[in-house]
Amino acid sequence: MLYLIRKMRSQFNSWALLSFIFSILIILPALLIMVQLFAESNENWEHIKEFMLKNYIINSVTLVIFTGLFTVIIGVCAAWLVTAYTFPLQRFFKWGMILPLAIPPYIGAYTYHGILNYTGVIQTNLRNHFDIKVDQKFFDIMNIPGAIFIFTLFLYPYVFIITRSFLENQSSSLIENARILGKSSFQTFIQVVLPISRTAIVGGVSLVILEVFNDYGVVKYFGIQTFSTAIFQAWFGMGDIQSAIKLAGTLMVIVVFILIAEKLIRGRKRYSYSTSKVRPLQPKELKGWKKYSVLSLFLTWFAFAFLIPSIQLLQWVYMTYDVILNEVFLDLIWNSVFVASIGSALIVITALIIANFSRLSKGWFSQFFSKITVLGYSLPGAVIAIGVLTLFLALDQKVIVLYEWIGLEPTLVLSLSISMLIFAYVVRFLAVGYNSIESGFEKVGTAFTDASRTLGMSVTKTFFKVDIKMIKGAVAGGFILVFVDILKELPLTLILQPFNFYTLATKTFQYASDERIHEASVSSIVIIFISALSIFFLHKVLEKEPK
Amino acid sequence: MFVQIKDLTFNYKNSRKPLFENLSLGFKQGEVTVILGQSGSGKSTLLRLIAGLEIPARGSISIDRAVMNDSLRFVQPEKRGVGLVFQDYALFPHMTVEKNIKFGLHKMSRKQKQNRMEELLTLVGMEEFASRYPYELSGGQQQRVALARALAPNPSLIMFDEPFSNLDSKLQEQIRDDLKDIIKLTGITSIFVTHDEEDARAIGDRIVLMHDGKIQEAGRPEAVFKKNREKLSLAYV
Amino acid sequence: MHKKNLFTTIIMVLIVAVIMAGCGKSNDGASSGNDKAASKEEKNSGEVNLYTSRHYDVDDQIFADFTKETGIKVNVIKGKEDELIERLSREGKATKGDLFFTSDAGRLHWAKEKDLLQSVESETLNKNIPENLADKDKQWYGLTKRARVIVYSKDKVDPSELSTYEALTEDKWKGKVLIRSSENIYNQSLVSSFISLNGKEEAKNWAEGIVKNMARDPQGGDRDQAKGIVAGEGDVAIMNSYYFGQMLNSEDPEEVKVAKQLSVFFPNQETTGTHINISGIGVTKYAKNKENAIKLMEYLSSADVQKVFAEANYEYPVNKEVEPSELLKSWGEFKEQDLNLSELGENNADAVKILNEVSWK
Ligand SMILES: Nc1ncnc2c1ncn2[C@@H]1O[C@H](COP(=O)(O)OP(=O)(O)OP(=O)(O)O)[C@@H](O)[C@H]1O
Ligand SMILES: [Fe+2]
Ligand SMILES: [Mg+2]
């Protein structure tokens, strides 16, 4: 018993305290919603079960499986090709292949539908210049295969980024050994690269899966009924919160299950070496037809995932900018960048604190914190938004007593402040920042921290002088991924926005929801431009980092 | 006894059987103790426990009569004033050799830090490498920097985890002898972990033989070696 | 040492900024006190806070004009109707929203059901807005009107073949009807109106018949249905009138071309009338600026404003003194469903269930 107390004392410091506070704050909004999970089911639930659930689950699972499969194939192959070989533009594609992440899938969906539909550029040209009328079946993208296409195009970068950085840093000796042992490139890829990068791949694809599960924009636009549509229909359509929560809870269980499975697969394996002995992999030069076929593959993919949608959007911008662009537009940009920066900064700080605490103290207690971070990512944005709203209102209730006592009317100070919105972002996207930072910590191990502490530095000083400097890349990576995510975020922002506060994403929604896709292009393109810029910036930071 | 370990019990979180059970061991002030043992016998872990990098389940450790940990207390590693040279060096990759060595120097003027750093670089024969980064050094050079870094803050107890394993034999002898001189001069209590009998003989005032988490034998080198000749030659073919 | 300060500072900022915004009560309290003082000073002008799910640029323009005229500032949150209702209901007494503005009578009714609105007596409103376009208890008022019409291909369909919504379920139209997904509120309200007029049974039969005759699985928005006709996927589409107006006036010449090949038909003229819906507005139950809110409603219903307001979005004005735009007049006058629009909301839940039961995607 005494030892237990001592153990708690030896681990209980400001890190533990802060981690504890943050975790509680993250958990609260979800809990406030989830308590309703145990409420009795009503007749709506029966209706949902009978008429909706089966189909919706089948659709969701189909989307998840195929998107997962395709993003893995494309993400991993691309990552392997850009790390193991040199070919024209290879240095560009190393980061260029991340650019599609800048395009939110819902904008991608609007754009591709805009290109392909009857009045889209392709059919119009065929009609007007060649007098060809095509069967709509071949141009129909608003179905499940179309959604898989869209998701794959704009989500594969998650797999690509993680796998590429893993291959770059970790695998040289294994891969070179395989080559020395006489394996062909293809054999090396199948027998060595795939197995050793399994963790990285699973990490990337689980982000993809979560995005697909929680997507609302694409499926709604395409008229595909999925799990998240069911949540919205039950909640907002039937006004039946219980059933909606039941669905969200089910979704969360599935997601948590996937994440636990991922951790189990990974087990205690750490495919990483912690010392300076790691060398980057020496790429091989591609020659002849191989060179050109790889190059054209990359060019084609890049065109579909980035160039074509961007160019189409630009053409629409050209059609509408005079109506849309005005001084108010600058405010939109400022608002978006402002909330995204603050949100990302808070997420990075929170993630650093929890990750550092949970890696240094080995008990279940700290491991528990690290699992909590993912909670927000496993729930649809709208559910979190309502949870956060409820939490702030509850806080407000406490404050109201005080107001009345002072003699003021009850006001909604907390709920209207922008801090509510930013807090919700933190809950929602903490997992994204946390993943990146955790993997950074995992890569460097604890040897350096130990060394620093025997040299007389406390945990906190070590953190600033050693740890954080060694995972700079991971911190920057986490920041930018979150930044881009917040910039694109929609459902949560729509519910929690303060008065007269518009962002690029909500502006895009305003037009798009009214089927005015052309007008939506201006704010879309700005989102894409800022995101692309941040991705480029990230690339520059990482490139400079000594390996 | 300068370092006193009493009834120490410890196990790693994910292993079922404790690595140490009721282990007791003492180290005298100014003495150089060499711990010899098979790979996996727990040598590195023992050093980590003394340094405070692992938390024991039971038992106590005291250094210089101050209790480092027992049932009530646990002194954090940075407060223990113990130097440790790591088996895999753990040089900070984002700092130059100079910065690495100065890292552990607190409460000193800039000038003093500079002097101390240069003194140690001379000691390990690395004067020209002050501005290099660790990844620009060979394995042996890295090891020497790690040595210098641990010695720099003048710890009252210094521990080496196989400090010479990467050096060629000539350099090994030279550094070993230098090290012995410094240790004798400062009277610093030291613990060496090694595989090398030659090291043990040359530097150790006392030898501790370790096997599977247990102390098999402790005493003067000649006596220990004589008694365990057969076992040792079996262990290190 | 100063690193430690930095660290502490970051943590402090963090704590103050996000988490315990409640800890900064005293600060917030003070500032809201200031707000109060400020709003008392300019009591005559002041402000009004609006939750809206309408996304038209013309709205912003009209609000700006209102501010210019009255000095009352209009603060806006634009969101989705259902989420805004949820937000209002969660905020309860504490809400800052004074007005709720959305483009479906069903949703307005629902807000009323949830006890989020309050009755408003105003002679101006009574005079400007016909009775059937407002709530029975005056909790909300319609401001613009749209019809859910049949649009048909001029080439392939003779208008004489068209008659009612119900007729579209006949075998004749098998594989020819285009309509969007059941998730959409316009379709839900359409079915709601049938429940009111013809009963649940008939409404379900209708939905079943439409599903049977669909040219393709529902997809896209109302405009996509119109394009579907020209692309040869179907012959008739059910869509809101203003989308057709927008297409005729699109910046995209291709859309204009599409619209020119189509024509509008108002169904059920001989029987129950064409389904109409409204954009409407109501004062929230806990409105803090009720007077200003009513001023804004009256302003929006006034003849001058109605003209701009409706025309900009190709909708019909509710104010009888105001004529619809030339374009809408060219489509002719039509008989509307004789229905108090509150009923659209009352039947919504049943409508959703029917749509699910007949597997309308
Ligand atoms: N982090 C860890 N988690 C679990 N078990 C560990 C861990 N580190 C070491 N061990 C186990 O503890 C035992 C002692 O390890 P230790 O590193 O102390 O051995 P050693 O005597 O230093 O070996 P070597 O001479 O190879 O360095 C080994 O069986 C090892 O597998
Ligand atoms: Fe609409
Ligand atoms: Mg060891």
Side-chain angles (χ1 to χ4, degrees):
Chain A
M1 189 60 213
L2 281 176
Y3 282 95
L4 200 72
I5 295 170
R6 186 209 62 190
K7 187 171 170 202
M8 283 184 67
R9 274 223 313 244
S10 67
Q11 296 199 348
F12 188 83
N13 48 32
S14 44
W15 291 86
L17 182 68
L18 285 174
S19 301
F20 181 72
I21 295 176
F22 289 155
S23 307
I24 292 294
L25 283 168
I26 303 289
I27 245 182
L28 269 178
L31 271 186
L32 284 176
I33 294 291
M34 285 304 146
V35 285
Q36 303 182 14
L37 188 58
F38 301 104
E40 263 171 68
S41 57
N42 52 24
E43 99 252 14
N44 281 335
W45 179 248
E46 292 307 314
H47 173 84
I48 290 172
K49 249 190 357 205
E50 190 178 344
F51 295 103
M52 299 157 77
L53 217 47
K54 189 168 144 239
N55 266 335
Y56 289 16
I57 288 179
I58 290 174
N59 287 349
S60 271
V61 170
T62 313
L63 286 176
V64 162
I65 288 178
F66 284 98
T67 310
L69 191 70
F70 293 139
T71 50
V72 166
I73 293 174
I74 287 154
V76 174
C77 289
W80 168 240
L81 288 170
V82 295
T83 28
Y85 300 98
T86 59
F87 50 90
L89 291 180
Q90 171 249 0
R91 284 171 56 83
F92 163 75
F93 282 125
K94 270 182 132 170
W95 68 275
M97 288 298 276
I98 306 176
L99 282 177
L101 203 59
I103 303 181
Y106 62 90
I107 293 179
Y110 292 140
T111 313
Y112 264 101
H113 176 61
I115 294 173
L116 292 174
N117 78 23
Y118 186 74
T119 56
V121 50
I122 297 180
Q123 292 203 43
T124 305
N125 276 313
L126 286 177
R127 221 166 33 237
N128 295 353
H129 299 294
F130 305 99
D131 205 26
I132 302 175
K133 266 199 134 188
V134 293
D135 188 337
Q136 293 304 310
K137 274 198 207 83
F138 303 116
F139 284 81
D140 181 12
I141 193 177
M142 303 183 102
N143 43 37
I144 291 188
I148 294 171
F149 172 73
I150 294 289
F151 284 134
T152 307
L153 277 187
F154 303 110
L155 295 177
Y156 84 92
Y158 283 118
V159 180
F160 175 79
I161 301 176
I162 301 183
T163 314
R164 194 206 69 187
S165 81
F166 174 82
L167 289 176
E168 257 175 4
N169 297 319
Q170 302 297 338
S171 55
S172 58
S173 55
L174 292 170
I175 290 165
E176 279 164 11
N177 257 320
R179 279 180 182 166
I180 291 163
L181 292 169
K183 298 280 183 189
S184 74
S185 297
F186 183 70
Q187 283 170 319
T188 312
F189 179 68
I190 298 291
Q191 295 178 2
V192 180
V193 176
L194 279 185
I196 61 169
S197 32
R198 198 177 60 187
T199 326
I201 297 171
V202 172
V205 83
S206 51
L207 288 181
V208 171
I209 290 175
L210 290 176
E211 292 275 348
V212 174
F213 258 133
N214 281 335
D215 170 81
Y216 188 53
V218 176
V219 292
K220 185 174 176 183
Y221 187 57
F222 281 8
I224 300 168
Q225 285 158 322
T226 64
F227 220 84
S228 54
T229 3
I231 295 177
F232 280 79
Q233 265 201 20
W235 190 334
F236 301 125
M238 301 184 188
D240 177 7
I241 234 180
Q242 257 109 302
S243 302
I245 298 302
K246 267 213 166 82
L247 289 169
T250 318
L251 181 64
M252 201 171 76
V253 171
I254 296 174
V255 167
V256 169
F257 178 78
I258 292 172
L259 292 170
I260 291 176
E262 191 251 334
K263 293 266 183 225
L264 283 182
I265 290 173
R266 176 148 46 156
R268 289 203 309 280
K269 272 180 230 126
R270 292 188 178 171
Y271 298 107
S272 57
Y273 314 119
S274 60
T275 51
S276 42
K277 286 170 203 155
V278 180
R279 269 169 307 115
L281 180 66
Q282 210 51 49
K284 224 164 70 175
E285 199 185 333
L286 279 181
K287 299 224 171 68
W289 66 271
K290 282 186 181 166
K291 179 166 86 177
Y292 293 109
S293 44
V294 166
L295 177 64
S296 46
L297 273 179
F298 270 87
L299 282 176
T300 314
W301 185 258
F302 185 69
F304 274 109
F306 192 76
L307 283 183
I308 293 175
S310 304
I311 291 171
Q312 175 63 77
L313 284 168
L314 282 173
Q315 192 224 334
W316 289 338
V317 167
Y318 179 73
M319 276 161 71
T320 56
Y321 72 97
D322 47 335
V323 199
I324 309 297
L325 267 185
N326 46 36
E327 66 281 13
V328 183
F329 205 80
L330 282 180
D331 286 345
L332 293 185
I333 298 178
W334 164 246
N335 287 345
S336 284
V337 171
F338 173 74
V339 288
S341 318
I342 305 260
S344 317
L346 289 174
I347 284 176
V348 165
I349 293 168
T350 314
L352 275 171
I353 289 170
I354 299 181
N356 195 42
F357 170 65
S358 85
R359 114 195 137 107
L360 291 181
S361 48
K362 288 142 194 156
W364 59 268
F365 186 58
S366 53
Q367 294 309 308
F368 173 69
F369 289 159
S370 80
K371 302 288 174 296
I372 282 176
T373 55
V374 90
L375 199 68
Y377 210 61
S378 66
L379 289 167
V383 174
I384 291 177
I386 298 295
V388 168
L389 187 67
T390 315
L391 173 67
F392 273 71
L393 285 165
L395 274 177
D396 217 35
Q397 289 296 303
K398 305 273 175 294
V399 190
I400 280 177
V401 180
L402 192 82
Y403 293 151
E404 279 169 357
W405 190 63
I406 303 175
L408 296 173
E409 280 170 61
T411 47
L412 200 62
V413 177
L414 298 178
S415 310
L416 291 175
S417 56
I418 207 161
S419 52
M420 186 168 64
L421 180 61
I422 292 175
F423 174 69
Y425 287 140
V426 175
V427 175
R428 177 92 176 96
F429 293 119
L430 183 58
V432 179
Y434 189 84
N435 259 2
S436 173
I437 284 167
E438 188 187 39
S439 73
F441 272 138
E442 209 163 88
K443 234 183 259 171
V444 299
T446 55
F448 301 103
T449 315
D450 288 347
S452 163
R453 297 197 65 198
T454 62
L455 290 165
M457 294 287 186
S458 68
V459 175
T460 307
K461 274 192 211 161
T462 302
F463 175 75
F464 283 109
K465 291 205 148 169
V466 178
D467 299 332
I468 203 166
K469 300 231 161 93
M470 298 193 58
I471 59 160
K472 263 195 311 220
V475 173
F479 183 93
I480 283 172
L481 283 182
V482 175
F483 182 86
V484 171
D485 260 332
I486 296 182
L487 218 53
K488 300 190 287 190
E489 208 290 329
L490 195 53
L492 191 154
T493 318
L494 271 183
I495 299 183
L496 294 178
Q497 57 184 328
F499 281 107
N500 308 328
F501 183 88
Y502 308 114
T503 66
L504 291 167
T506 58
K507 199 73 187 172
T508 305
F509 162 78
Q510 267 171 45
Y511 290 118
S513 74
D514 209 47
E515 303 180 26
R516 293 162 75 193
I517 310 302
H518 301 166
E519 282 86 346
S521 65
V522 181
S523 39
S524 302
I525 205 84
V526 178
I527 294 181
I528 294 171
F529 180 73
I530 297 176
S531 305
L533 211 63
S534 351
I535 290 168
F536 175 70
F537 177 72
L538 174 65
H539 161 73
K540 283 288 163 208
V541 170
L542 292 182
E543 202 182 41
K544 257 194 281 170
E545 192 171 72
K547 292 276 155 55
Chain B
M1 285 290 148
F2 186 74
V3 179
Q4 185 66 59
I5 300 174
K6 268 204 204 114
D7 300 328
L8 192 70
T9 299
F10 172 78
N11 66 325
Y12 277 110
K13 208 182 76 197
N14 30 34
S15 64
R16 248 171 269 134
K17 181 173 146 293
L19 180 56
F20 300 122
E21 257 184 302
N22 297 324
L23 180 100
S24 297
L25 189 61
F27 303 88
K28 282 208 201 88
Q29 172 118 43
E31 201 179 47
V32 179
T33 307
V34 175
I35 301 179
L36 267 172
Q38 275 169 303
S39 179
S41 58
K43 307 179 299 285
S44 301
T45 310
L46 185 62
L47 299 194
R48 291 176 63 81
L49 278 161
I50 297 174
L53 295 171
E54 303 289 345
I55 303 175
R58 259 190 306 284
S60 69
I61 296 172
S62 55
I63 298 174
D64 201 6
R65 275 183 295 278
V67 178
M68 291 295 130
N69 81 270
D70 58 14
S71 56
L72 295 171
R73 269 156 292 192
F74 184 84
V75 177
Q76 296 293 334
E78 63 268 21
K79 298 273 159 56
R80 294 191 176 197
V82 172
L84 175 57
V85 180
F86 288 80
Q87 202 164 0
D88 51 6
Y89 334 133
L91 292 176
F92 304 125
H94 60 293
M95 297 181 192
T96 58
V97 167
E98 175 181 343
K99 289 257 176 60
N100 261 289
I101 294 177
K102 285 181 178 168
F103 188 85
L105 301 176
H106 316 289
K107 301 194 180 102
M108 276 188 179
S109 72
R110 198 179 283 187
K111 193 92 204 345
Q112 282 170 314
K113 282 187 185 171
Q114 186 66 22
N115 288 342
R116 182 76 183 141
M117 191 267 301
E118 279 165 9
E119 200 179 313
L120 280 152
L121 277 185
T122 318
L123 179 72
V124 295
M126 298 275 298
E127 300 92 327
E128 301 119 71
F129 297 93
S131 55
R132 292 271 189 99
Y133 282 94
Y135 65 93
E136 300 166 327
L137 299 175
S138 74
Q141 289 167 333
Q142 291 185 17
Q143 204 156 32
R144 282 191 269 165
V145 176
L147 216 62
R149 186 178 68 177
L151 283 171
N154 244 328
S156 65
L157 168 69
I158 185 153
M159 307 187 285
F160 303 88
D161 198 346
E162 307 193 22
F164 307 132
S165 59
N166 260 349
L167 305 181
D168 64 52
S169 59
K170 192 156 159 283
L171 204 56
Q172 178 176 349
E173 254 170 59
Q174 190 206 320
I175 294 194
R176 196 170 65 199
D177 292 343
D178 287 349
L179 205 66
K180 195 173 177 183
D181 291 343
I182 309 164
I183 291 170
K184 286 296 158 203
L185 210 68
T186 51
I188 191 172
T189 313
S190 6
I191 305 172
F192 275 85
V193 161
T194 181
H195 278 129
D196 190 321
E197 239 186 270
E198 200 51 44
D199 282 345
R201 227 185 266 282
I203 210 166
D205 297 329
R206 197 168 71 114
I207 307 277
V208 171
L209 276 191
M210 203 163 180
H211 182 75
D212 220 358
K214 292 185 189 63
I215 310 293
Q216 280 210 315
E217 194 74 52
R220 319 268 325 143
E222 304 78 38
V224 173
F225 281 124
K226 205 182 251 165
K227 202 169 156 194
N228 291 279
R229 174 81 7 233
E230 263 172 45
K231 220 185 276 170
L232 279 169
S233 55
L234 272 180
Y236 307 104
V237 215
Chain C
M1 267 70 323
H2 101 259
K3 290 284 184 189
K4 185 149 195 173
N5 279 339
L6 179 72
F7 180 68
T8 338
T9 320
I10 292 173
I11 298 309
M12 288 306 292
V13 168
L14 193 77
I15 289 178
V16 170
V18 196
I19 325 143
M20 297 268 136
C23 282
K25 280 165 214 160
S26 49
N27 281 344
D28 285 333
S31 70
S32 85
N34 288 342
D35 284 353
K36 272 266 124 44
S39 66
K40 241 167 221 157
E41 266 168 32
E42 33 186 328
K43 186 81 188 169
N44 304 346
S45 44
E47 56 184 9
V48 59
N49 299 321
L50 177 73
Y51 285 9
T52 176
S53 75
R54 282 176 47 108
H55 309 298
Y56 313 115
D57 290 335
V58 65
D59 293 18
D60 296 332
Q61 189 48 51
I62 290 175
F63 298 150
D65 292 345
F66 175 71
T67 306
K68 224 181 274 165
E69 229 163 84
T70 60
I72 299 169
K73 185 161 184 281
V74 184
N75 300 313
V76 180
I77 288 180
K78 293 184 185 176
K80 296 191 213 175
E81 51 281 338
D82 295 329
E83 278 96 324
L84 288 175
I85 291 178
E86 185 67 30
R87 180 170 173 169
L88 265 176
S89 88
R90 296 245 162 190
E91 287 174 344
K93 259 189 207 167
T95 192
K96 282 227 163 163
D98 301 312
L99 283 168
F100 175 59
F101 191 11
T102 190
S103 36
D104 175 77
R107 285 297 175 262
L108 284 163
H109 174 76
W110 197 19
K112 176 189 171 190
E113 285 285 279
K114 290 191 136 193
D115 203 16
L116 300 175
L117 303 178
Q118 60 174 297
S119 302
V120 165
E121 272 309 335
S122 152
E123 272 184 27
T124 321
L125 289 177
N126 288 343
K127 181 173 66 82
N128 288 345
I129 300 170
E131 216 180 302
N132 72 318
L133 298 183
D135 178 47
K136 295 170 197 154
D137 304 318
K138 314 271 181 198
Q139 295 209 6
W140 51 262
Y141 291 86
L143 287 177
T144 62
K145 193 169 70 180
R146 64 275 300 277
R148 199 148 180 78
V149 297
I150 295 175
V151 163
Y152 62 93
S153 159
K154 283 182 190 165
D155 295 343
K156 285 183 273 180
V157 178
D158 188 318
S160 66
E161 298 171 72
L162 294 166
S163 56
T164 59
Y165 294 111
E166 290 81 6
L168 292 182
T169 64
E170 289 163 7
D171 283 341
K172 174 174 188 302
W173 297 103
K174 196 163 182 76
K176 303 215 160 121
V177 179
L178 289 155
I179 187 163
R180 71 196 294 183
S181 88
S182 67
E183 213 211 350
N184 179 263
I185 184 73
Y186 303 143
N187 284 342
Q188 293 172 9
S189 286
L190 183 63
V191 174
S192 295
S193 74
F194 294 156
I195 293 177
S196 280
L197 295 168
N198 313 325
K200 265 196 208 178
E201 194 83 354
E202 282 302 304
K204 187 169 174 180
N205 288 343
W206 180 80
E208 219 157 23
I210 291 291
V211 171
K212 185 181 75 191
N213 283 353
M214 279 181 187
R216 60 175 185 203
D217 276 350
Q219 53 167 243
D222 276 4
R223 291 188 199 213
D224 290 310
Q225 313 311 319
K227 289 180 193 175
I229 299 178
V230 178
E233 292 199 272
D235 289 350
V236 290
I238 296 178
M239 67 189 286
N240 279 0
S241 50
Y242 61 92
Y243 285 115
F244 193 62
Q246 285 177 1
M247 286 178 81
L248 280 170
N249 291 283
S250 172
E251 337 69 17
D252 183 353
E254 283 303 317
E255 274 196 359
V256 180
K257 261 197 233 168
V258 166
K260 292 226 159 107
Q261 300 176 49
L262 304 171
S263 198
V264 171
F265 181 83
F266 292 100
N268 294 42
Q269 291 306 296
E270 312 293 313
T271 60
T272 48
T274 300
H275 174 66
I276 53 155
N277 208 328
I278 48 138
S279 279
I281 194 164
V283 176
T284 63
K285 179 153 190 199
Y286 299 105
K288 315 283 182 301
N289 304 297
K290 189 174 171 185
E291 276 170 46
N292 289 348
I294 295 174
K295 265 188 213 154
L296 180 57
M297 286 166 78
E298 289 172 348
Y299 179 78
L300 293 174
S301 72
S302 67
D304 300 346
V305 177
Q306 278 277 305
K307 184 92 188 140
V308 194
F309 201 27
E311 261 183 35
N313 195 36
Y314 312 101
E315 288 181 275
Y316 294 91
V318 290
N319 191 325
K320 288 275 186 268
E321 289 167 30
V322 183
E323 292 213 324
S325 64
E326 288 306 314
L327 174 69
L328 299 198
K329 268 198 279 186
S330 75
W331 296 343
E333 293 199 354
F334 64 96
K335 177 182 165 193
E336 300 170 7
Q337 281 179 344
D338 182 23
L339 202 64
N340 189 293
L341 292 182
S342 313
E343 293 183 37
L344 299 182
E346 285 159 21
N347 295 328
N348 181 270
D350 286 331
V352 170
K353 283 189 186 164
I354 286 176
L355 287 163
N356 282 324
E357 282 162 20
V358 302
S359 309
W360 185 321
K361 289 214 171 140

